[in-house]
Amino acid sequence: MTTEPWRLPSRAWQVVFASLVFAAVVAVSSMVYANSVARTSERSLCDLVVRLDDTYRTMPPQTATGRQLAAEISDLRKKLACPASRALRG
């Protein structure tokens, strides 16, 4: 088999192409999985933040540290764009 040094046989090109397609499929599936896990994690965090914020709103803390924590929880709820109420999450 005599080929020029810069040319690969057609079988080699098939292997290279298959490897690139496999790498692309793995990359895309990894991104989809990572986004799914991130959404699930964010929903869980939102549920916790909403529960804490709703509790602090119904029973405001009495100490300065408690009020600061309640304010930070409320800010976090806004930054995460959590729902207005746990009942809406259904």
Side-chain angles (χ1 to χ4, degrees), residues 49-50 52-78:
V49 168
V50 167
L52 286 171
D53 193 37
D54 287 348
T55 301
Y56 283 138
R57 286 179 186 192
T58 57
M59 298 183 312
Q62 302 300 314
T63 64
T65 303
R67 287 188 291 274
Q68 181 182 1
L69 179 63
E72 290 176 8
I73 292 288
S74 181
D75 288 342
L76 182 60
R77 183 179 190 168
K78 291 173 190 165

Side-chain angles (χ1 to χ4, degrees), residues 7-8 10 12 17 22 27 35 50 52 68 76 78 80 89:
R7 292 196 63 156
L8 291 174
S10 68
F17 181 72
F22 179 74
N35 284 336
V50 167
L52 286 171
Q68 181 182 1
L76 182 60
K78 291 173 190 165
L80 291 175
R89 301 263 320 156

Side-chain angles (χ1 to χ4, degrees), residues 3-73:
T3 60
E4 297 173 24
W6 56 273
R7 292 196 63 156
L8 291 174
S10 68
R11 179 80 173 147
W13 282 115
Q14 292 172 353
V15 171
V16 169
F17 181 72
S19 298
L20 290 175
V21 168
F22 179 74
V25 167
V26 168
V28 169
S29 63
S30 295
M31 287 187 287
V32 168
Y33 176 73
N35 284 336
S36 172
V37 169
R39 278 192 304 272
T40 302
S41 176
E42 188 174 325
R43 276 195 307 267
S44 296
L45 179 61
C46 242
D47 289 344
L48 175 63
V49 168
V50 167
R51 181 171 297 203
L52 286 171
D53 193 37
D54 287 348
T55 301
Y56 283 138
R57 286 179 186 192
T58 57
M59 298 183 312
Q62 302 300 314
T63 64
T65 303
R67 287 188 291 274
Q68 181 182 1
L69 179 63
E72 290 176 8
I73 292 288

